[in-house]
Amino acid sequence: MARRRRQTLVLFFLCITVVAPLAVYTDRLATTPTFVAIDHLDDEIPFQESLGAVKEPAWPIFPKKLSDSNQIHAHSGNDAPVSGAREIYLSNAGDRPNRVLSEDIKGTRSEAESRIKQVTNEEGKHAGLQEGETKGEEMPTKFHKTISKTLSVNQDLHNPEMSSKVDSSGLSLAKVQQFKDQLIRAKVYLSLSPSRTYPEFIRELRARVREVEHTLGDATNDTELPKGAHEKLKMMEQTLAKGRQIHNDCSSVIKKLRAFYQSAEDQLRAQKKQELFLTQVAAKTLPRGLHCLPLHLTTAYHSLDSNKQQFPHQEKLEDPKLFHYALFSDNVLATAAVVNSTILNAKYPENHVFHIVTDRLNYAAMKMWFLANPPGKAAIQVQNVDEFTWLNSSYSPVLKQLGSQSMIDYYFKSHLAKSDGNLKFRNPKYLSILNHLRFYLPEIFPKLSKVVFLDDDVIVQKDLSSLWAIDLKEKVNGAAETCGENFHRFDRYLNFSNPLIAKNFDPRACGWAYGMNVFDLIEWRKQNITEIYHHWQKLNEDRLLWKLGTLPPGLITFWKRTYPLDRSWHVLGLGYSLNVSQKDIAGAAVIHYNGNMKPWLEIGIGKYRNYWSKYVNYDQVYLRDCNINP
């Protein structure tokens, strides 16, 4: 009996000392959270999963040599990226999410440079959480704060190509270009055949492309990008990193890029041809407002009494002591801008005289404009070129050529005639004798000794009085040279394959510009310049020496007879170039809209338009009636 009592006592103490503690410990193990320490984080992060729930990941893990955060990705059902050097997969039963934590392998970066990506598992699909979001159960506060800090770090810190563009405010002024570069790479990946075996990747990449295109929109600089653009940039870069893993064969990417480049070159070439054609068409087309204006002015002119159709100050027209301008044009609005700008910038407007020559169709309209808008104390004369009886085909070879059948076929029956591939030489303005009157200045102004020729597409910004005081040193033509530009050399205008041209001229000689020229009419008559012009025009009847236009025969006629003016007198390019210096424009006496993009056309270059439009009074009744606006 005593022995049985001892056994019972021993069993009792065994229960107290062994079994009970085991039971208590086991119960606490089932309820107490396990702590997993993560490097570089000051606090331990509690998880509700037990250690026994840790499993091997269901996704492929890439080798350690691909440890860069842009290269290591775990692929889920929709290929959501998981970056980092070491992956810890914690899964549990039921609907609880899997969390993926990433850390840097070397531990050399600060806490703010660590990245933690969360990937949730929902019906077999995993998607990365954005900052401040949770799916499934809420995370503890310390862990949530850590996520908020670490997600603020830019992925660009991991990318050597983009890290150079990072500054204190994020990306520098290159974000738009990076977006465009991403779109190119994305389209390459989408077009490669290996991508078709990864439908989830294709869907994700297409979604990223749509996001980037929507974000980019019409933005041309970083300040125009919407909020959230930086996040879209990072997300696209992560998706593209997966594409680099799929397409590890560089040769296929190179071939596709080469094909893209060739296609882009072909499209660009076609677009340039189309642009050239449309620009030429627009340049030759008369806008509705400019067609309406002369009609209204002509009607108004013929309703005037004959005694009101004359200009004042007619006694100044032949006074050689005054400053005389020659302007030949059929464009009323353009002529008005030239005259207005000259008068408004003249120190003594009463000393300036304008001689305008136009055609029969615009003669009444041109007179009416300046009768309704007189140029102050300056004198003005409007002449009709059809009234120049001395200018006929028997005297002028160019007038004879303009009326020839070959010239008519060239313009109106080009499919039958031998036409030129360059559309600019087919502009009908070359059919107008107004374009060639500049070679007959002594005949038009027999009593004048010096005249300044102005094109109708120029604007005068300074007083031009001192031009008449320049000593041309027995030269006939004073002009601004353009030898700084290769296309203004002689060989760009004359046919040096012709022995007659090659024998007489230097192909690398400096060209000069029409548009603002000082002509010494005394020297002109003395050197018989008009006959020199006629001689070369006869030799070029078949257009073998030069194409159509007035600059090529001008270069020939005034060869070694041109005095170079300072370039600040005449700045060109505002009708074709986007790169004319603002400093040059501001310092120029005359700016020239040479080219097809005239300021009165819709195709005019916007940033230069104000220099012209400020000399046009858009409140004038005729302009309002014709709906001509700035």
Side-chain angles (χ1 to χ4, degrees):
M1 188 69 180
R3 183 179 179 182
R4 182 174 295 178
R5 288 178 179 176
R6 286 195 300 270
Q7 291 177 347
T8 303
L9 188 60
V10 170
L11 289 174
F12 176 75
F13 281 109
L14 283 174
C15 288
I16 293 176
T17 58
V18 177
V19 177
L22 285 174
V24 173
Y25 181 79
T26 304
D27 182 65
R28 292 188 62 187
L29 182 64
T31 59
T32 303
T34 302
F35 294 87
V36 180
I38 304 297
D39 294 343
H40 308 299
L41 297 180
D42 295 334
D43 301 309
E44 291 178 326
I45 305 175
F47 289 90
Q48 296 297 323
E49 298 85 9
S50 67
L51 288 175
V54 178
K55 300 178 181 179
E56 288 295 320
W59 309 317
I61 299 178
F62 294 96
K64 284 188 175 181
K65 65 180 180 179
L66 297 176
S67 60
D68 182 79
S69 62
N70 284 330
Q71 296 176 332
I72 295 185
H73 296 274
H75 292 270
S76 64
N78 65 348
D79 291 317
V82 180
S83 61
R86 188 172 66 203
E87 316 295 348
I88 302 177
Y89 298 88
L90 297 165
S91 62
N92 64 319
D95 296 328
R96 292 184 179 181
N98 291 335
R99 295 190 178 96
V100 182
L101 306 182
S102 64
E103 62 166 343
D104 187 52
I105 193 169
K106 294 183 179 179
T108 56
R109 293 181 299 172
S110 65
E111 175 184 339
E113 293 175 339
S114 302
R115 295 204 59 168
I116 299 180
K117 281 281 185 176
Q118 303 173 39
V119 178
T120 63
N121 184 2
E122 189 174 354
E123 296 181 359
K125 295 183 178 180
H126 302 262
L129 294 180
Q130 299 296 326
E131 182 178 353
E133 295 182 358
T134 60
K135 290 186 180 180
E137 62 185 26
E138 291 290 326
M139 292 182 297
T141 305
K142 291 182 179 180
F143 183 65
H144 183 73
K145 290 181 179 179
T146 305
I147 292 291
S148 299
K149 284 196 293 183
T150 55
L151 282 178
S152 65
V153 179
N154 197 327
Q155 185 184 2
D156 302 328
L157 294 171
H158 302 276
N159 191 337
E161 294 179 358
M162 299 173 68
S163 61
S164 62
K165 300 177 181 178
V166 177
D167 58 14
S168 59
S169 61
L171 286 180
S172 65
L173 298 178
K175 218 178 273 187
V176 169
Q177 188 57 44
Q178 291 177 39
F179 272 124
K180 293 178 180 179
D181 178 68
Q182 285 182 339
L183 286 176
I184 293 174
R185 287 186 283 158
K187 290 176 182 179
V188 170
Y189 287 148
L190 288 173
S191 65
L192 293 174
S193 56
S195 297
R196 299 168 191 166
T197 59
Y198 295 87
E200 297 296 334
F201 170 72
I202 290 291
R203 282 195 290 271
E204 180 185 345
L205 187 55
R206 285 176 177 167
R208 293 283 182 263
V209 168
R210 287 193 295 271
E211 288 178 358
V212 169
E213 288 177 340
H214 179 72
T215 302
L216 193 58
D218 297 326
T220 56
N221 55 66
D222 293 0
T223 58
E224 296 176 0
L225 292 172
K227 291 182 178 179
H230 190 58
E231 289 300 319
K232 296 292 190 300
L233 193 72
K234 293 194 294 182
M235 292 167 66
M236 173 61 98
E237 196 64 36
Q238 292 169 358
T239 304
L240 290 174
K242 286 193 283 185
R244 288 198 295 270
Q245 296 176 29
I246 294 172
H247 303 285
N248 54 9
D249 182 9
C250 293
S251 61
S252 60
V253 177
I254 291 173
K255 288 179 182 178
K256 182 59 65 174
L257 286 173
R258 186 178 290 115
F260 275 17
Y261 177 79
Q262 185 62 45
S263 175
E265 285 278 304
D266 295 340
Q267 292 180 28
L268 179 61
R269 193 176 299 109
Q271 289 293 333
K272 283 185 175 180
K273 289 186 67 174
Q274 184 72 3
E275 179 189 12
L276 176 61
F277 174 77
L278 294 176
T279 302
Q280 294 291 340
V281 171
K284 293 185 287 186
T285 303
L286 185 67
R288 182 167 55 184
L290 294 186
H291 180 70
C292 165
L293 182 60
L295 294 178
H296 279 237
L297 289 169
T298 299
T299 302
Y301 177 78
H302 288 296
S303 66
L304 292 176
D305 294 336
S306 58
N307 59 342
K308 294 183 179 180
Q309 294 178 346
Q310 304 301 319
F311 293 111
H313 312 302
Q314 294 298 293
E315 70 281 359
K316 297 181 179 180
L317 298 181
E318 296 181 348
D319 187 347
K321 297 179 181 179
L322 301 179
F323 308 133
H324 295 265
Y325 300 90
L327 210 164
F328 311 138
S329 175
D330 58 0
N331 188 325
V332 176
L333 191 61
T335 302
V338 176
V339 174
N340 287 349
S341 64
T342 307
I343 293 299
L344 290 175
N345 289 289
K347 292 182 180 179
Y348 305 102
E350 64 275 12
N351 293 335
H352 296 260
V353 182
F354 295 90
H355 302 270
I356 300 170
V357 181
T358 188
D359 56 17
R360 177 171 50 190
L361 185 63
N362 294 281
Y363 173 69
M366 193 75 75
K367 287 196 69 174
M368 186 63 210
W369 176 269
F370 289 105
L371 288 169
N373 303 275
K377 297 180 181 180
I380 194 162
Q381 177 189 32
V382 178
Q383 295 177 275
N384 180 0
V385 68
D386 293 317
E387 295 179 357
F388 293 168
T389 56
W390 53 268
L391 187 60
N392 51 60
S393 56
S394 61
Y395 174 67
S396 172
V398 70
L399 195 61
K400 181 179 179 180
Q401 293 168 12
L402 292 176
S404 67
Q405 188 62 43
S406 63
M407 190 69 72
I408 294 173
D409 289 344
Y410 183 84
Y411 278 102
F412 303 108
K413 299 179 181 179
S414 58
H415 61 287
L416 299 177
K418 184 179 179 182
S419 62
D420 190 273
N422 194 332
L423 291 176
K424 78 173 184 177
F425 294 122
R426 301 176 57 74
N427 194 318
K429 73 178 182 179
Y430 297 125
L431 287 173
S432 173
I433 189 59
L434 290 175
N435 201 44
H436 298 268
L437 282 183
R438 62 195 68 188
F439 294 101
Y440 298 100
L441 292 174
E443 288 81 358
I444 300 172
F445 309 113
K447 295 185 179 181
L448 298 182
S449 57
K450 186 174 284 188
V451 66
V452 169
F453 169 79
L454 295 176
D455 261 337
D456 63 359
D457 55 353
V458 305
I459 285 294
V460 178
Q461 300 188 125
K462 296 182 180 180
D463 180 55
L464 301 182
S465 302
S466 56
L467 282 173
W468 279 264
I470 294 177
D471 182 7
L472 298 182
K473 302 187 184 302
E474 299 184 351
K475 305 292 185 182
V476 179
N477 173 28
E481 290 187 333
T482 56
C483 38
E485 305 177 43
N486 289 332
F487 58 89
H488 278 153
R489 299 281 182 173
F490 268 45
D491 59 349
R492 298 303 300 266
Y493 293 98
L494 304 177
N495 179 18
F496 277 87
S497 64
N498 188 294
L500 193 59
I501 294 294
K503 179 181 178 181
N504 288 277
F505 306 102
D506 178 7
R508 302 304 298 164
C510 288
W512 45 267
Y514 268 126
M516 196 287 294
N517 306 78
V518 184
F519 289 106
D520 186 335
L521 301 186
I522 295 176
E523 285 294 330
W524 186 308
R525 299 182 186 100
K526 186 184 301 184
Q527 299 182 31
N528 206 6
I529 297 298
T530 303
E531 285 304 314
I532 295 174
Y533 167 70
H534 285 172
H535 169 74
W536 284 101
Q537 278 289 356
K538 291 176 183 178
L539 294 175
N540 193 47
E541 184 175 1
D542 296 327
R543 298 184 299 279
L544 298 178
L545 304 185
W546 68 85
K547 302 298 181 182
L548 298 179
T550 54
L551 183 55
L555 296 176
I556 287 178
T557 302
F558 297 103
W559 166 247
K560 295 183 178 181
R561 300 178 180 90
T562 298
Y563 178 82
L565 300 177
D566 188 276
R567 291 194 180 188
S568 62
W569 279 109
H570 187 190
V571 170
L572 298 98
L574 280 73
Y576 69 87
S577 175
L578 296 173
N579 302 316
V580 182
S581 166
Q582 294 293 329
K583 181 180 178 181
D584 290 343
I585 293 175
V590 174
I591 55 175
H592 194 172
Y593 292 84
N594 58 313
N596 288 320
M597 292 178 277
K598 305 298 185 186
W600 55 83
L601 299 176
E602 290 187 6
I603 61 173
I605 300 174
K607 68 177 183 177
Y608 305 140
R609 193 186 300 273
N610 184 59
Y611 296 110
W612 182 85
S613 61
K614 69 180 180 181
Y615 293 107
V616 178
N617 181 15
Y618 289 99
D619 293 329
Q620 214 276 344
V621 61
Y622 296 110
L623 298 188
R624 292 202 312 269
D625 289 345
C626 291
N627 198 29
I628 298 177
N629 302 302

